[in-house]
């Protein structure tokens, strides 16, 4: 294969063919193959440079140089800076899921599970607080692949839906059946609101955000509990139709099609 230029993003340098190779066996255990180690090195280097120099001022060439790999090799694992950030999103989702499981183990109270999930995310995200403000400038652009609503962000978004579905199904909450299907996405939207506040929060240890989580989660849990009462079901249906038409982006949105009148017909 003929090697292309660094900026085109491909190379035939040694080590490329092992990207999907087997893991090495060490005394009955496994360790990541060299390609996965290289990928991790590039991602960690990029995150450090993003924090030190800013996202916009950090180039793929600078990342490759700092990581000790060729530019072509960096592009092989990550096709662009945006793909590096998607890698960051995926890592955050994985770390959050692992810590979340420990945080909610043995808890059935919905409010406790929801609060523990958000607090766990704040713990995972804490090292990246300064970087988040720089990243937000790009993620806020609705046309950016870094937007949480973008097609490129779908894997990380779906991972969060799964976490909040687990928050609900592992709890003792009694939820109106018409609301239950979309509740994981609604909780994700609530999560985004907390994230936005956290980005701007400059209190020590994001203490104000943590207090906000504690107070708002009580209200969210009460609203969820109230949704099951028959007296409120007409209001629940109105809210459901409104959210389906204007806000939801994931599985709950795909499960129905909003009509001109605002009602939802199952597909």
């Amino acid at each position: 294969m003929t090697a292309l230029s660094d900026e085109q993003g491909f190379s035939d340098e040694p080590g490329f063919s092992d990207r999907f190779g087997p893991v090495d066996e060490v005394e009955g255990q496994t360790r990541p193959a060299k390609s996965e180690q290289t990928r991790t090195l590039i991602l960690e280097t990029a995150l450090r440079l993003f924090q030190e120099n800013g996202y916009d001022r950090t180039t793929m060439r600078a990342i490759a140089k700092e990581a000790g790999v060729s530019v072509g090799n960096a592009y092989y694992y990550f096709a662009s800076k945006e793909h590096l950030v998607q890698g960051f999103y995926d890592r955050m989702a994985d770390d959050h899921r692992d810590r979340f499981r420990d945080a909610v183990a043995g808890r059935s109270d919905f409010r406790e599970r929801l609060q523990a999930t958000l607090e766990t995310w704040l713990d995972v995200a804490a090292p990246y607080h300064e970087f988040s403000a720089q990243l937000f400038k790009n993620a806020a652009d609705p046309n950016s692949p870094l937007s949480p609503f973008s097609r490129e962000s779908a894997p990380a978004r779906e991972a969060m839906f799964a976490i909040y579905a687990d928050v609900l199904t592992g709890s003792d909450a009694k939820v109106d059946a018409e609301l239950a299907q979309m509740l994981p996405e609604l909780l994700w939207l609530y999560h985004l609101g907390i994230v936005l506040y956290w980005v701007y929060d400059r209190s020590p240890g994001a203490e104000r955000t943590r207090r906000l989580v504690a107070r708002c989660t009580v209200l969210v849990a009460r609203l969820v509990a109230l949704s099951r009462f028959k007296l409120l079901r007409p209001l629940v249906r109105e809210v459901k139709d409104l959210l389906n038409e204007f806000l939801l982006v994931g599985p709950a949105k795909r499960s129905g099609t909003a009509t001109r009148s605002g009602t939802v017909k199952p597909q």
Side-chain angles (χ1 to χ4, degrees), residues 104-158:
V104 301
R107 299 188 185 192
S108 60
D109 181 80
F110 175 72
R111 182 199 61 77
E112 291 182 1
R113 288 174 67 86
L114 179 58
Q115 183 169 335
T117 302
L118 288 159
E119 290 175 343
T120 300
W121 185 91
L122 291 173
D123 292 338
V124 171
Y128 308 104
H129 198 182
E130 294 303 320
F131 168 53
S132 68
Q134 303 169 26
L135 179 61
F136 179 73
K137 293 187 296 183
N138 294 278
D141 181 352
N143 296 316
S144 170
L146 304 184
S147 165
F149 297 94
S150 72
R151 176 180 57 82
E152 291 83 356
S153 296
R157 187 167 61 242
E158 297 282 350

Side-chain angles (χ1 to χ4, degrees), residues 159-190:
M160 292 302 298
F161 293 162
I163 286 176
Y164 282 112
D166 197 346
V167 169
L168 179 62
T169 58
S171 76
D172 55 10
K174 295 179 175 61
V175 184
D176 179 84
E178 295 190 46
L179 182 64
Q181 182 182 15
M182 65 174 58
L183 191 55
E185 289 183 54
L186 295 181
L187 294 175
W188 173 71
L189 290 171
Y190 167 52

Side-chain angles (χ1 to χ4, degrees), residues 51 125-134 198-203 206:
Q51 288 180 283
Y128 308 104
H129 198 182
E130 294 303 320
F131 168 53
S132 68
Q134 303 169 26
W198 171 79
V199 167
Y200 288 97
D201 183 8
R202 289 297 176 263
S203 62

Side-chain angles (χ1 to χ4, degrees), residues 13-258:
E13 294 182 10
F16 275 42
S17 61
D18 72 349
R19 185 181 184 191
F20 300 104
V23 295
D24 300 323
E25 295 289 338
V26 181
E27 297 181 354
Q29 299 179 341
T30 61
R31 65 184 182 190
K34 180 181 176 182
S35 58
E36 185 59 29
Q37 294 173 344
T38 302
R39 187 180 190 279
T40 299
L41 172 63
I42 294 169
L43 178 59
E44 291 179 347
T45 301
L47 293 178
R48 176 167 57 82
L49 293 180
F50 289 159
Q51 288 180 283
E52 292 176 358
N53 306 324
Y55 175 78
D56 292 333
R57 292 192 297 272
T58 300
T59 65
M60 288 293 284
R61 186 175 296 279
I63 293 167
K65 180 179 180 181
E66 188 72 13
V69 302
S70 72
V71 179
N73 207 348
Y75 274 113
Y76 179 79
Y77 290 99
F78 298 96
S80 66
K81 284 201 303 181
E82 287 81 5
H83 284 80
L84 277 162
V85 175
Q86 293 299 337
F88 166 66
Y89 287 168
D90 293 340
R91 170 181 286 189
M92 286 279 291
D94 290 343
D95 290 349
H96 184 207
R97 182 181 61 247
D98 293 342
R99 295 200 197 185
F100 147 80
R101 288 170 176 165
D102 292 336
V104 301
R107 299 188 185 192
S108 60
D109 181 80
F110 175 72
R111 182 199 61 77
E112 291 182 1
R113 288 174 67 86
L114 179 58
Q115 183 169 335
T117 302
L118 288 159
E119 290 175 343
T120 300
W121 185 91
L122 291 173
D123 292 338
V124 171
Y128 308 104
H129 198 182
E130 294 303 320
F131 168 53
S132 68
Q134 303 169 26
L135 179 61
F136 179 73
K137 293 187 296 183
N138 294 278
D141 181 352
N143 296 316
S144 170
L146 304 184
S147 165
F149 297 94
S150 72
R151 176 180 57 82
E152 291 83 356
S153 296
R157 187 167 61 242
E158 297 282 350
M160 292 302 298
F161 293 162
I163 286 176
Y164 282 112
D166 197 346
V167 169
L168 179 62
T169 58
S171 76
D172 55 10
K174 295 179 175 61
V175 184
D176 179 84
E178 295 190 46
L179 182 64
Q181 182 182 15
M182 65 174 58
L183 191 55
E185 289 183 54
L186 295 181
L187 294 175
W188 173 71
L189 290 171
Y190 167 52
H191 175 104
L192 289 185
I194 295 296
V195 171
L196 179 59
Y197 187 90
W198 171 79
V199 167
Y200 288 97
D201 183 8
R202 289 297 176 263
S203 62
E207 182 269 340
R208 287 180 61 84
T209 303
R210 292 178 183 274
R211 286 197 290 119
L212 179 68
V213 165
R215 295 189 63 175
C216 287
T217 301
V218 171
L219 296 177
V220 171
R222 287 176 180 170
L223 290 172
V224 169
L226 288 172
S227 72
R228 74 181 189 273
F229 292 106
K230 291 183 179 180
L231 183 64
L232 295 178
R233 284 182 183 171
L235 178 60
V236 169
R237 292 191 182 100
E238 287 293 327
V239 172
K240 177 174 179 282
D241 292 345
L242 178 69
L243 294 170
N244 258 304
E245 184 170 357
F246 294 106
L247 287 181
L248 298 185
V249 296
K253 181 68 172 181
R254 293 195 295 270
S255 68
T257 302

